[in-house]
Amino acid sequence: MTLLASLRSLSPMARRLVLMRLAIYLGMQCAYFIGVVGTLTYAFDGGVTENALGIVLLNGCIVAGSFVGGPLLDRVGPRRFFSVVVAALVATSLLYQLFATSVAGVLVGAALLGGSWGLGDLVAKSFPAYLTDDPDELKTMNSVIFTVSNAAVIAGPLMGGFVSSVASPQAVFWLLGVCSIAALAPAAGFHPTRNPRVEKEQARRTRRGDDSLRAGFRAVFGSPALALLFWSCFFSFFGYGAFDPLESLYYRDVLGVDVSWMGWLSAAAGVGGVVGSMLLMRVPTRHVNVRTLLAVLASEGAFALLYVGTPWVGVACVGQVLLGVAFGMLTPLLSTLVQAHAPLASIGRVNAVMGFGNNVAGVAPLLCAPALAEVLGVQGTLVLASLLVLLMPAVIALVRRREIARLVDEEAARGQTESASSGIL
């Protein structure tokens, strides 16, 4: 199914959701890599330590934002929650202009962006579950959402690269505010079609109702499928923690390119991401399972090795495109699986917990990245990180093979049951 055909197959509410996600994520991509990391590396001549600190603050505040946002989403619903997201992003855009005149100010801006990013991530990861629980529809909707998100990964850095070349890296944060305000247009007519109050009422009747974040942890670790998804991504994403503080230094010191290449190479990843998200549309629903997820995670490690393994910018571009393809498949695949297994009444908190695992996995290696870079060099550390990403899914697949086989069989049986029910109806 092509992207255009998939868009046509979506409900009007789903199409509005696609536009809402596109607008806010375009602003985030304009601001993040060039606005934070680019400013530290090029405007203030920062090194590994400054970049690592910036990314620690950013990722830590993404976790904090999702922890605040998850319970808030489950409490107020998607419409009111989206207004909070837009307000946070616009405030970040304005405040960054006041702070970004020093390294300390950029770090404050990174924290603000992280908090609003943590809120905004829940739009793509949780909102589809408010519109449908059908596996085919969820897969298509998530594929389209993350296809346009990866289009934003192309357009955002290109826009940011242009603005930074004619003004400054700090100026890209203005784009964050403009794009966020634009998201209010499709959001005005967005209304959920599923009501989580039924599940909440059932939970109260069985004395299990809980509006705190603890319900998200219980839902994740009380479900074999969600727990396996959590740990699979946690251990695989652990390797990527070294990329954020070292990637810009790899561009500057190994590839020998200027700040604009941060935009061009990020855009190359976005091109691959669009391809990957569209490829997932062609994956049969019966193969949307944890086994496929582990294969995609391992491919990310292989492509990351190509990306950082040479001093040649042409090879890095090819590696970025292929790495983007893998990421483009991973994100909608993971979101679809989480939405299929998470209770709607706690979907926000479940995604907050999943995001917590991914971001903690990314933050932990930042503590040792500067020391590793001193010993192995920037490129050597990135190669080691890529090998970790490649090997961890294989280890998980071997150690948890029986559990994975059981979950895959259960998914297949459930899919057949739902298909039969659809045929009867």
Side-chain angles (χ1 to χ4, degrees):
M1 185 181 293
T2 65
L3 176 60
L4 188 58
S6 297
L7 275 169
R8 288 200 200 100
S9 72
L10 296 179
S11 67
M13 289 302 108
R15 288 195 288 269
R16 285 184 178 274
L17 176 56
V18 169
L19 293 175
M20 290 156 60
R21 164 66 174 184
L22 173 61
I24 62 171
Y25 200 64
L26 180 62
M28 292 177 186
Q29 289 299 320
C30 288
Y32 160 56
F33 200 36
I34 294 176
V36 175
V37 181
T39 299
L40 289 172
T41 301
Y42 287 89
F44 295 110
D45 197 29
V48 179
T49 301
E50 290 82 4
N51 285 355
L53 184 57
I55 301 304
V56 165
L57 281 171
L58 181 78
N59 286 354
C61 289
I62 287 175
V63 172
S66 66
F67 273 7
V68 171
L72 180 63
L73 170 59
D74 293 335
R75 188 176 303 120
V76 305
R79 279 179 54 81
R80 291 165 64 187
F81 179 78
F82 191 75
S83 298
V84 174
V85 171
V86 170
L89 292 169
V90 171
T92 298
S93 171
L94 296 174
L95 291 172
Y96 192 78
Q97 310 308 318
L98 301 176
F99 294 134
T101 56
S102 66
V103 171
V106 173
L107 295 178
V108 172
L112 292 173
L113 179 61
S116 56
W117 194 308
L119 294 172
D121 256 359
L122 294 170
V123 174
K125 294 178 178 178
S126 299
F127 279 32
Y130 285 95
L131 301 180
T132 184
D133 61 351
D134 180 83
D136 286 322
E137 289 184 38
L138 279 177
K139 185 195 74 169
T140 300
M141 195 186 311
N142 282 300
S143 295
V144 173
I145 287 172
F146 286 102
T147 295
V148 300
S149 297
N150 284 301
V153 175
I154 303 171
L158 291 177
M159 293 166 61
F162 173 77
V163 170
S164 67
S165 65
V166 299
S168 68
Q170 297 95 314
V172 300
F173 265 77
W174 286 117
L175 298 173
L176 173 65
V178 171
C179 292
S180 301
I181 292 171
L184 292 174
F190 178 80
H191 298 278
T193 55
R194 295 182 68 207
N195 189 349
R197 291 180 182 176
V198 175
E199 290 190 13
K200 287 183 178 180
E201 184 60 31
Q202 291 173 345
R204 290 191 186 99
R205 288 175 181 173
T206 57
R207 298 183 180 181
R208 294 173 59 194
D210 187 353
D211 288 331
S212 72
L213 192 61
R214 289 174 297 185
F217 280 95
R218 282 201 299 268
V220 170
F221 296 109
S223 163
L226 291 174
L228 184 58
L229 291 172
F230 179 94
W231 291 116
S232 297
C233 291
F234 178 88
F235 288 116
S236 297
F237 275 51
F238 192 83
Y240 283 113
F243 271 72
D244 284 336
L246 299 180
E247 207 167 358
S248 61
L249 301 178
Y250 171 66
Y251 295 164
R252 186 187 68 185
D253 301 338
V254 179
L255 298 181
V257 295
D258 62 27
V259 66
S260 64
W261 276 91
M262 294 182 69
W264 315 142
L265 282 164
S266 294
V271 171
V274 169
V275 174
S277 299
M278 293 179 69
L279 282 175
L280 185 64
M281 297 179 196
R282 298 181 177 275
V283 174
T285 303
R286 66 180 182 276
H287 292 311
V288 177
N289 54 45
V290 69
R291 187 174 288 156
T292 302
L293 182 84
L294 290 171
V296 172
L297 285 169
S299 72
E300 288 181 353
F303 296 144
L305 280 173
L306 178 63
Y307 169 42
V308 300
T310 77
W312 304 313
V313 69
V315 176
C317 284
V318 173
Q320 270 286 60
V321 171
L322 293 174
L323 187 55
V325 171
F327 268 119
M329 293 190 70
L330 173 69
T331 312
L333 177 60
L334 176 61
S335 294
T336 300
L337 291 171
V338 171
Q339 291 158 16
H341 289 282
L344 181 59
S346 57
I347 185 69
R349 285 162 290 175
V350 166
N351 273 302
V353 173
M354 300 297 290
F356 164 76
N358 292 344
N359 283 290
V360 168
V363 167
L366 294 174
L367 303 176
C368 58
L372 284 174
E374 286 289 330
V375 177
L376 303 175
V378 168
Q379 189 174 29
T381 304
L382 290 174
V383 168
L384 180 63
S386 301
L387 285 170
L388 184 62
V389 177
L390 173 62
L391 294 175
M392 286 312 301
V395 173
I396 293 170
L398 180 63
V399 173
R400 307 292 291 274
R401 61 187 182 278
R402 292 181 180 176
E403 183 179 352
I404 291 170
R406 186 181 70 252
L407 288 172
V408 169
D409 290 341
E410 289 175 358
E411 288 284 351
R414 187 174 68 174
Q416 291 173 358
T417 301
E418 289 172 348
S419 297
S421 300
S422 299
I424 293 172
L425 293 173

